[in-house]
Coordinates of all heavy atoms in Angstrom, one line a residue:
M1 N 5.7 -10.5 13.1 CA 4.6 -9.5 13.1 C 3.2 -10.3 13.5 O 3.1 -11.4 12.9 CB 4.3 -8.8 11.9 CG 5.6 -8.1 11.4 SD 5.3 -7.1 9.9 CE 4.6 -5.6 10.7
S2 N 2.4 -9.8 14.3 CA 1.2 -10.6 14.5 C -0.1 -9.9 13.9 O -0.9 -9.4 14.6 CB 1.1 -10.5 16.1 OG 0.9 -9.2 16.5
I3 N 0.0 -10.0 12.7 CA -1.0 -9.3 11.9 C -2.0 -10.5 11.2 O -1.4 -11.2 10.6 CB -0.6 -8.4 10.9 CG1 0.3 -7.3 11.4 CG2 -1.7 -7.7 10.1 CD1 1.2 -6.6 10.5
A4 N -3.2 -10.3 11.4 CA -4.1 -11.3 10.8 C -4.4 -10.9 9.3 O -5.3 -10.0 9.1 CB -5.4 -11.5 11.6
L5 N -3.7 -11.4 8.5 CA -3.9 -11.1 7.0 C -4.7 -12.0 6.3 O -4.3 -13.1 5.9 CB -2.7 -10.9 6.3 CG -1.7 -9.7 7.0 CD1 -0.3 -9.8 6.2 CD2 -2.3 -8.5 6.9
A6 N -6.1 -11.8 6.2 CA -6.9 -13.0 5.7 C -6.7 -13.3 4.4 O -6.5 -14.5 4.0 CB -8.4 -12.5 5.8
H7 N -6.4 -12.4 3.5 CA -6.3 -12.8 2.0 C -5.0 -12.1 1.4 O -4.3 -12.8 0.8 CB -7.6 -12.3 1.3 CG -8.8 -13.0 1.8 ND1 -9.1 -14.3 1.7 CD2 -9.9 -12.4 2.6 CE1 -10.2 -14.6 2.2 NE2 -10.7 -13.4 2.9
L8 N -4.9 -10.8 1.5 CA -3.9 -10.1 0.8 C -2.6 -10.2 1.6 O -2.6 -10.0 2.8 CB -4.3 -8.6 0.6 CG -5.2 -8.3 -0.5 CD1 -5.6 -6.9 -0.4 CD2 -4.8 -8.7 -1.8
S9 N -1.5 -10.4 0.9 CA -0.1 -10.2 1.5 C 0.1 -8.7 1.3 O -0.4 -8.1 0.6 CB 0.9 -11.1 0.8 OG 1.0 -10.5 -0.4
C10 N 1.1 -8.2 2.1 CA 1.6 -6.9 2.1 C 2.1 -6.6 0.6 O 1.9 -5.5 0.1 CB 2.6 -6.6 3.1 SG 2.0 -6.7 4.7
R11 N 2.7 -7.6 0.1 CA 3.3 -7.3 -1.2 C 2.2 -7.2 -2.3 O 2.2 -6.2 -3.2 CB 4.2 -8.5 -1.5 CG 4.5 -8.4 -3.1 CD 5.8 -9.4 -3.2 NE 6.8 -8.7 -3.9 CZ 8.2 -8.9 -3.8 NH1 8.5 -9.9 -3.0 NH2 9.0 -8.4 -4.5
E12 N 1.2 -7.9 -2.1 CA -0.1 -7.9 -3.0 C -0.7 -6.6 -2.9 O -1.2 -5.9 -3.9 CB -1.0 -9.0 -2.8 CG -0.5 -10.4 -3.3 CD -1.4 -11.6 -2.9 OE1 -1.9 -11.4 -1.8 OE2 -1.3 -12.5 -3.5
L13 N -0.8 -6.1 -1.7 CA -1.5 -4.8 -1.4 C -0.7 -3.7 -2.1 O -1.3 -2.8 -2.7 CB -1.5 -4.5 0.1 CG -2.3 -3.3 0.5 CD1 -3.1 -3.5 1.7 CD2 -1.3 -2.1 0.7
V14 N 0.6 -3.6 -2.0 CA 1.4 -2.6 -2.6 C 1.2 -2.7 -4.2 O 1.1 -1.7 -4.8 CB 2.9 -2.7 -2.3 CG1 3.8 -1.9 -3.1 CG2 3.1 -2.6 -0.7
E15 N 1.1 -3.8 -4.7 CA 0.8 -3.9 -6.1 C -0.6 -3.4 -6.6 O -0.7 -3.1 -7.7 CB 1.0 -5.5 -6.6 CG 2.5 -5.8 -6.6 CD 2.7 -7.4 -6.8 OE1 1.7 -8.1 -6.8 OE2 3.7 -7.8 -6.8
L16 N -1.4 -3.5 -5.6 CA -2.8 -3.0 -5.8 C -3.1 -1.6 -5.5 O -4.2 -1.1 -5.9 CB -3.9 -3.9 -5.1 CG -3.9 -5.4 -5.4 CD1 -4.9 -6.0 -4.6 CD2 -4.5 -5.4 -6.9
V17 N -2.2 -0.9 -4.9 CA -2.4 0.4 -4.3 C -2.8 1.4 -5.5 O -3.7 2.2 -5.3 CB -1.3 0.9 -3.5 CG1 -0.1 1.3 -4.3 CG2 -1.8 2.0 -2.5
T18 N -2.2 1.3 -6.6 CA -2.5 2.3 -7.5 C -3.9 2.1 -8.1 O -4.8 3.1 -8.2 CB -1.6 2.2 -8.8 OG1 -0.2 2.3 -8.3 CG2 -1.8 3.3 -9.8
A19 N -4.2 0.9 -8.3 CA -5.7 0.5 -8.7 C -6.7 0.9 -7.7 O -7.7 1.5 -8.0 CB -5.8 -0.9 -9.0
Y20 N -6.3 0.8 -6.5 CA -7.2 1.1 -5.4 C -7.4 2.7 -5.4 O -8.6 3.2 -5.4 CB -6.6 0.7 -4.0 CG -7.4 1.3 -2.8 CD1 -8.6 0.5 -2.5 CD2 -7.0 2.4 -2.1 CE1 -9.3 0.9 -1.4 CE2 -7.7 2.9 -1.1 CZ -9.0 2.1 -0.7 OH -9.7 2.7 0.4
L21 N -6.4 3.4 -5.5 CA -6.5 4.9 -5.4 C -7.1 5.4 -6.7 O -7.8 6.5 -6.7 CB -5.2 5.5 -5.3 CG -4.5 5.3 -3.9 CD1 -3.0 5.6 -3.8 CD2 -5.3 5.9 -2.8
E22 N -7.1 4.7 -7.7 CA -7.9 5.1 -9.0 C -9.3 4.7 -9.0 O -10.0 4.9 -9.9 CB -7.1 4.4 -10.1 CG -5.9 5.0 -10.5 CD -5.2 4.2 -11.6 OE1 -5.5 3.1 -11.9 OE2 -4.1 4.7 -12.3
G23 N -9.6 3.8 -7.9 CA -11.0 3.3 -7.9 C -11.3 2.2 -8.8 O -12.3 2.0 -9.2
A24 N -10.2 1.6 -9.3 CA -10.3 0.5 -10.2 C -10.3 -0.9 -9.8 O -10.6 -1.8 -10.6 CB -9.0 0.7 -11.2
L25 N -10.3 -1.0 -8.4 CA -10.5 -2.4 -7.9 C -11.9 -2.9 -7.8 O -12.8 -2.1 -7.5 CB -9.9 -2.5 -6.5 CG -8.4 -2.4 -6.2 CD1 -8.1 -2.5 -4.8 CD2 -7.8 -3.5 -7.1
P26 N -12.2 -4.0 -8.2 CA -13.5 -4.7 -8.0 C -13.9 -4.6 -6.6 O -12.9 -4.6 -5.7 CB -13.4 -6.1 -8.5 CG -12.0 -6.2 -9.2 CD -11.1 -5.1 -8.7
A27 N -15.2 -4.6 -6.2 CA -15.6 -4.4 -4.8 C -14.9 -5.5 -3.9 O -14.5 -5.1 -2.7 CB -17.1 -4.6 -4.8
G28 N -14.9 -6.7 -4.3 CA -14.3 -7.8 -3.4 C -12.8 -7.4 -3.0 O -12.4 -7.5 -1.8
A29 N -12.0 -7.0 -4.1 CA -10.6 -6.7 -3.8 C -10.5 -5.4 -3.0 O -9.6 -5.4 -2.1 CB -10.0 -6.5 -5.2
R30 N -11.4 -4.6 -3.3 CA -11.4 -3.4 -2.5 C -11.7 -3.6 -1.0 O -10.9 -3.1 0.0 CB -12.4 -2.4 -3.0 CG -12.4 -1.0 -2.4 CD -13.4 -0.1 -3.1 NE -13.3 1.3 -2.7 CZ -12.5 2.2 -3.2 NH1 -11.7 1.8 -4.2 NH2 -12.4 3.4 -2.7
K31 N -12.6 -4.5 -0.7 CA -12.8 -4.8 0.7 C -11.6 -5.5 1.4 O -11.4 -5.2 2.5 CB -14.0 -5.8 0.7 CG -15.4 -5.1 0.7 CD -16.4 -6.1 1.4 CE -17.7 -5.3 1.6 NZ -18.7 -5.4 0.7
R32 N -11.0 -6.4 0.6 CA -9.9 -7.0 1.2 C -8.7 -6.1 1.4 O -8.0 -6.2 2.4 CB -9.4 -8.2 0.3 CG -10.3 -9.5 0.4 CD -9.8 -10.5 -0.3 NE -9.8 -10.3 -1.7 CZ -9.0 -10.9 -2.6 NH1 -8.0 -11.7 -2.3 NH2 -9.1 -10.6 -3.9
F33 N -8.6 -5.2 0.4 CA -7.6 -4.1 0.6 C -7.7 -3.3 1.8 O -6.9 -3.1 2.6 CB -7.7 -3.2 -0.7 CG -6.5 -2.3 -0.7 CD1 -5.4 -2.4 -1.7 CD2 -6.6 -1.0 -0.1 CE1 -4.5 -1.5 -1.7 CE2 -5.5 -0.1 -0.2 CZ -4.5 -0.3 -1.0
E34 N -9.0 -2.9 2.0 CA -9.3 -2.0 3.2 C -9.2 -2.8 4.5 O -8.8 -2.2 5.5 CB -10.7 -1.4 2.9 CG -10.7 -0.4 1.9 CD -12.0 0.2 1.6 OE1 -13.1 -0.5 1.9 OE2 -12.2 1.3 0.8
A35 N -9.5 -4.0 4.5 CA -9.4 -4.9 5.7 C -8.0 -5.1 6.1 O -7.6 -5.0 7.2 CB -10.0 -6.3 5.4
H36 N -7.1 -5.2 5.0 CA -5.8 -5.3 5.2 C -5.1 -4.0 5.9 O -4.4 -4.1 6.9 CB -5.0 -5.7 3.9 CG -3.5 -6.0 4.2 ND1 -2.8 -7.0 3.8 CD2 -2.6 -5.1 4.7 CE1 -1.6 -7.0 4.1 NE2 -1.3 -5.8 4.5
V37 N -5.5 -2.9 5.3 CA -5.0 -1.6 5.7 C -5.4 -1.3 7.1 O -4.4 -0.9 7.9 CB -5.3 -0.5 4.7 CG1 -5.1 0.9 5.3 CG2 -4.7 -0.7 3.3
S38 N -6.6 -1.8 7.5 CA -7.1 -1.4 8.8 C -6.4 -2.3 9.8 O -6.3 -1.9 11.0 CB -8.6 -1.7 8.9 OG -8.9 -3.1 8.8
Q39 N -5.7 -3.3 9.5 CA -5.1 -4.3 10.4 C -3.5 -4.1 10.3 O -2.8 -4.8 11.1 CB -5.4 -5.7 10.1 CG -6.8 -6.0 10.3 CD -7.2 -7.5 10.0 OE1 -6.4 -8.4 10.2 NE2 -8.2 -7.5 9.0
C40 N -3.0 -3.4 9.3 CA -1.6 -3.4 9.1 C -1.0 -2.1 9.1 O -1.3 -1.2 8.3 CB -1.3 -4.0 7.7 SG 0.5 -4.3 7.3
D41 N -0.2 -1.7 10.2 CA 0.4 -0.3 10.3 C 1.3 -0.1 9.0 O 1.3 1.0 8.6 CB 1.2 -0.4 11.6 CG 0.3 -0.3 12.8 OD1 -0.9 0.0 12.6 OD2 0.9 -0.4 13.9
G42 N 2.1 -1.0 8.5 CA 3.0 -0.6 7.5 C 2.3 -0.2 6.3 O 2.5 0.8 5.6
C43 N 1.2 -1.1 6.0 CA 0.4 -0.8 4.7 C -0.4 0.6 4.9 O -0.7 1.3 4.0 CB -0.4 -1.9 4.3 SG 0.6 -3.3 3.8
S44 N -0.9 0.7 6.1 CA -1.6 2.0 6.4 C -0.8 3.2 6.1 O -1.2 4.2 5.5 CB -2.1 1.9 7.9 OG -2.6 3.1 8.3
T45 N 0.4 3.1 6.6 CA 1.4 4.2 6.4 C 1.8 4.4 5.0 O 1.7 5.5 4.4 CB 2.7 3.9 7.2 OG1 2.4 3.8 8.6 CG2 3.8 5.0 7.0
Y46 N 1.9 3.2 4.4 CA 2.2 3.3 2.9 C 1.1 3.9 2.1 O 1.4 4.8 1.3 CB 2.5 1.8 2.4 CG 2.8 1.7 0.9 CD1 4.0 2.2 0.5 CD2 1.9 1.4 0.1 CE1 4.4 2.1 -0.8 CE2 2.2 1.2 -1.3 CZ 3.5 1.6 -1.8 OH 3.9 1.5 -3.1
L47 N -0.1 3.5 2.4 CA -1.3 4.1 1.7 C -1.3 5.6 2.0 O -1.6 6.3 1.0 CB -2.5 3.4 2.2 CG -3.8 3.9 1.5 CD1 -3.8 3.6 0.0 CD2 -5.0 3.1 2.1
E48 N -1.1 5.9 3.2 CA -1.1 7.4 3.5 C -0.1 8.2 2.8 O -0.4 9.3 2.2 CB -0.9 7.6 5.0 CG -1.9 8.2 5.8 CD -3.1 8.8 5.1 OE1 -3.0 9.9 4.7 OE2 -4.1 8.1 4.8
Q49 N 1.1 7.7 2.6 CA 2.2 8.2 1.9 C 1.9 8.3 0.4 O 2.2 9.4 -0.3 CB 3.5 7.5 2.1 CG 3.8 7.5 3.6 CD 5.3 7.4 4.0 OE1 6.1 7.1 3.1 NE2 5.6 7.6 5.2
M50 N 1.2 7.3 -0.1 CA 0.9 7.3 -1.5 C -0.2 8.5 -1.7 O -0.1 9.2 -2.7 CB 0.2 6.0 -1.9 CG 1.2 4.9 -2.0 SD 2.2 5.1 -3.5 CE 1.2 4.8 -4.9
R51 N -1.1 8.5 -0.9 CA -2.2 9.6 -0.9 C -1.5 10.9 -0.9 O -1.9 11.9 -1.7 CB -3.1 9.5 0.2 CG -4.2 8.4 -0.1 CD -5.4 8.5 0.8 NE -6.5 7.7 0.4 CZ -7.0 6.7 1.2 NH1 -6.6 6.5 2.4 NH2 -8.0 6.1 0.7
T52 N -0.6 11.2 0.0 CA 0.0 12.5 0.2 C 0.9 12.7 -1.1 O 0.9 13.9 -1.6 CB 1.0 12.4 1.4 OG1 0.2 12.1 2.6 CG2 1.6 13.8 1.5
T53 N 1.5 11.8 -1.6 CA 2.4 12.0 -2.8 C 1.6 12.3 -4.0 O 1.9 13.3 -4.8 CB 3.2 10.8 -3.1 OG1 4.1 10.4 -1.9 CG2 4.1 10.9 -4.2
I54 N 0.5 11.6 -4.1 CA -0.4 11.8 -5.3 C -1.0 13.3 -5.1 O -1.1 14.1 -6.1 CB -1.6 10.8 -5.3 CG1 -0.8 9.4 -5.7 CG2 -2.6 11.2 -6.3 CD1 -1.6 8.2 -5.5
R55 N -1.4 13.7 -3.9 CA -2.0 14.9 -3.7 C -1.1 16.0 -3.9 O -1.4 17.0 -4.7 CB -2.5 15.1 -2.2 CG -3.3 16.3 -1.9 CD -4.2 16.1 -0.7 NE -3.3 15.7 0.5 CZ -3.5 14.7 1.2 NH1 -4.4 13.8 0.9 NH2 -2.6 14.4 2.2
L56 N 0.2 15.9 -3.6 CA 1.2 16.9 -3.9 C 1.5 17.0 -5.4 O 1.8 18.1 -5.9 CB 2.4 16.6 -3.1 CG 2.2 16.7 -1.5 CD1 3.5 16.5 -0.7 CD2 1.8 18.2 -1.2
S57 N 1.6 15.8 -5.9 CA 2.1 15.9 -7.4 C 1.0 16.0 -8.3 O 1.2 16.5 -9.5 CB 2.8 14.5 -7.6 OG 1.8 13.5 -7.6
G58 N -0.3 15.8 -7.9 CA -1.4 15.8 -8.8 C -1.3 14.7 -9.9 O -2.1 14.7 -10.8
A59 N -0.5 13.7 -9.6 CA -0.5 12.6 -10.5 C -0.8 11.4 -9.8 O -0.6 11.3 -8.6 CB 1.0 12.6 -11.2
L60 N -1.1 10.3 -10.5 CA -1.4 9.0 -9.9 C -0.4 8.0 -10.5 O -0.7 7.2 -11.3 CB -2.7 8.6 -10.3 CG -3.4 7.6 -9.4 CD1 -3.3 7.9 -8.0 CD2 -4.8 7.1 -9.9
R61 N 0.8 8.2 -10.0 CA 1.9 7.3 -10.4 C 2.6 6.7 -9.2 O 3.1 7.4 -8.4 CB 2.8 8.0 -11.3 CG 2.2 8.5 -12.7 CD 3.1 9.3 -13.6 NE 3.9 10.2 -12.8 CZ 4.5 11.3 -13.4 NH1 4.5 11.3 -14.6 NH2 5.0 12.2 -12.6
V62 N 2.8 5.4 -9.4 CA 3.6 4.8 -8.3 C 5.0 5.2 -8.3 O 5.6 5.4 -7.2 CB 3.6 3.2 -8.5 CG1 4.4 2.6 -7.5 CG2 2.2 2.7 -8.4
E63 N 5.6 5.7 -9.3 CA 7.0 6.2 -9.4 C 7.1 7.4 -8.6 O 8.3 7.8 -8.3 CB 7.4 6.4 -10.9 CG 7.3 5.2 -11.7 CD 5.9 5.3 -12.5 OE1 4.9 4.8 -11.9 OE2 5.8 5.9 -13.6
D64 N 6.0 8.1 -8.4 CA 6.1 9.4 -7.5 C 6.4 9.1 -6.0 O 6.6 10.1 -5.4 CB 4.9 10.2 -7.7 CG 4.7 10.7 -9.1 OD1 5.8 10.9 -9.8 OD2 3.7 11.0 -9.6
V65 N 6.2 7.9 -5.6 CA 6.4 7.6 -4.3 C 7.7 7.9 -3.9 O 8.9 7.5 -4.5 CB 6.0 6.2 -3.9 CG1 6.4 5.8 -2.4 CG2 4.6 5.9 -4.1
S66 N 8.0 8.5 -2.8 CA 9.4 9.0 -2.3 C 10.2 7.8 -1.9 O 9.6 6.8 -1.4 CB 9.3 9.9 -1.1 OG 8.9 9.2 0.0
P67 N 11.5 7.9 -2.1 CA 12.4 6.8 -1.7 C 12.2 6.5 -0.1 O 12.3 5.4 0.3 CB 13.8 7.4 -2.0 CG 13.6 8.4 -3.0 CD 12.2 8.9 -2.8
E68 N 11.9 7.6 0.7 CA 11.9 7.4 2.1 C 10.6 6.5 2.4 O 10.6 5.7 3.3 CB 11.5 8.8 2.7 CG 12.8 9.6 2.7 CD 13.1 10.4 1.5 OE1 12.1 10.3 0.6 OE2 14.2 10.9 1.2
A69 N 9.5 6.8 1.6 CA 8.3 5.9 1.9 C 8.6 4.4 1.5 O 8.2 3.6 2.2 CB 7.1 6.4 1.0
E70 N 9.3 4.3 0.4 CA 9.7 2.8 -0.1 C 10.5 2.2 1.1 O 10.3 1.2 1.4 CB 10.4 2.9 -1.3 CG 9.4 3.2 -2.5 CD 10.1 2.7 -3.9 OE1 10.8 1.7 -3.8 OE2 9.8 3.3 -4.8
Q71 N 11.5 3.0 1.5 CA 12.4 2.5 2.6 C 11.6 2.1 3.7 O 11.9 1.0 4.4 CB 13.5 3.5 3.0 CG 14.6 3.6 2.0 CD 15.3 2.3 1.9 OE1 15.6 1.6 2.9 NE2 15.5 1.7 0.8
A72 N 10.7 2.9 4.2 CA 9.9 2.5 5.5 C 9.2 1.3 5.2 O 9.1 0.6 6.2 CB 8.9 3.8 5.6
L73 N 8.6 1.2 4.1 CA 7.8 -0.1 3.9 C 8.8 -1.3 3.8 O 8.5 -2.4 4.3 CB 7.0 -0.1 2.5 CG 6.0 -1.1 2.4 CD1 4.8 -0.8 3.4 CD2 5.5 -1.0 0.9
V74 N 9.9 -1.2 3.2 CA 10.9 -2.2 3.0 C 11.3 -2.7 4.5 O 11.4 -3.8 4.8 CB 12.1 -1.8 2.2 CG1 13.2 -2.9 2.4 CG2 11.7 -1.8 0.7
H75 N 11.5 -1.6 5.3 CA 11.9 -1.9 6.7 C 10.8 -2.7 7.5 O 11.1 -3.5 8.3 CB 12.2 -0.7 7.4 CG 13.7 -0.2 7.1 ND1 14.8 -0.9 7.5 CD2 14.1 0.8 6.5 CE1 15.8 -0.4 7.1 NE2 15.5 0.8 6.4
A76 N 9.6 -2.3 7.1 CA 8.4 -2.8 7.9 C 8.2 -4.3 7.5 O 7.8 -5.1 8.2 CB 7.1 -2.1 7.6
F77 N 8.6 -4.7 6.2 CA 8.4 -6.0 5.7 C 9.5 -6.6 5.2 O 9.6 -7.0 4.0 CB 7.2 -6.0 4.7 CG 6.0 -5.3 5.3 CD1 5.5 -4.1 4.8 CD2 5.3 -6.0 6.3 CE1 4.4 -3.6 5.4 CE2 4.2 -5.4 6.8 CZ 3.8 -4.3 6.3
R78 N 10.5 -6.8 6.0 CA 11.8 -7.3 5.5 C 11.6 -8.8 5.1 O 12.4 -9.3 4.4 CB 12.9 -7.1 6.4 CG 13.6 -5.8 6.5 CD 14.5 -5.6 7.6 NE 13.7 -5.5 8.8 CZ 14.1 -5.2 10.0 NH1 15.3 -4.9 10.1 NH2 13.3 -5.2 11.0
G79 N 10.7 -9.4 5.6 CA 10.5 -10.8 5.3 C 9.9 -11.1 3.9 O 9.8 -12.3 3.5
W80 N 9.7 -10.1 3.1 CA 9.2 -10.3 1.8 C 10.0 -11.2 0.9 O 9.4 -12.0 0.2 CB 9.1 -9.0 1.1 CG 7.9 -8.1 1.5 CD1 6.9 -8.4 2.3 CD2 7.5 -7.0 0.8 NE1 6.0 -7.5 2.4 CE2 6.3 -6.6 1.3 CE3 8.0 -6.2 -0.3 CZ2 5.6 -5.4 1.0 CZ3 7.3 -5.0 -0.7 CH2 6.2 -4.7 -0.1
R81 N 11.2 -10.9 0.9 CA 11.9 -11.7 -0.2 C 12.5 -12.9 0.1 O 12.8 -13.2 1.4 CB 13.2 -10.7 -0.7 CG 12.6 -9.4 -1.3 CD 13.6 -8.3 -1.6 NE 13.0 -7.1 -1.8 CZ 13.6 -6.0 -2.1 NH1 14.9 -6.0 -2.3 NH2 13.1 -4.8 -2.3
Ligands
ZN1 ZN1 0.3 -5.1 5.1

C-alpha cells in the first residue's frame, strides 16, 4: 500500500476509534486520527462502518461492529500480524 501514515498505524487507529467516536481523544491524537483516515481507504471505511453500527445500535461499543466490517479491515491490512 502506498499510504503516507505520518504517525498512527492502522492498528493504532482501530484501537482509538471508540475513543474518537466518544470525543475522548486529546486534540493532538484526534488530528492524527483524522489525518490518517483522510489518507487511508481501509480506515475510512472502518470508521464509516463503526459510525453506522453505532447509529443503528444506539450503543458505543466496539463489539457491535459486524463481522463483515472486521473482515473487510483484516483483508485491507493483512500485513498487520
Ligand atoms: Zn489506516
Side-chain angles (χ1 to χ4, degrees):
M1 307 185 84
S2 59
I3 304 164
L5 302 176
H7 302 287
L8 282 177
S9 70
C10 292
R11 174 163 229 149
E12 287 168 335
L13 186 138
V14 168
E15 288 169 358
L16 291 176
V17 73
T18 305
Y20 174 78
L21 291 169
E22 287 173 345
L25 283 185
R30 190 177 182 90
K31 274 208 168 91
R32 283 186 293 152
F33 186 102
E34 289 172 345
H36 181 124
V37 167
S38 72
Q39 294 174 48
C40 181
D41 286 347
C43 289
S44 171
T45 300
Y46 180 73
L47 181 60
E48 244 349 276
Q49 299 203 350
M50 285 294 287
R51 281 195 167 124
T52 302
T53 300
I54 289 161
R55 192 161 50 235
L56 294 177
S57 67
L60 196 59
R61 292 182 310 199
V62 174
E63 304 93 271
D64 290 333
V65 175
S66 71
E68 290 78 12
E70 283 198 36
Q71 278 301 311
L73 195 67
V74 168
H75 280 294
F77 302 112
R78 273 169 297 192
W80 274 10
R81 297 175 191 182

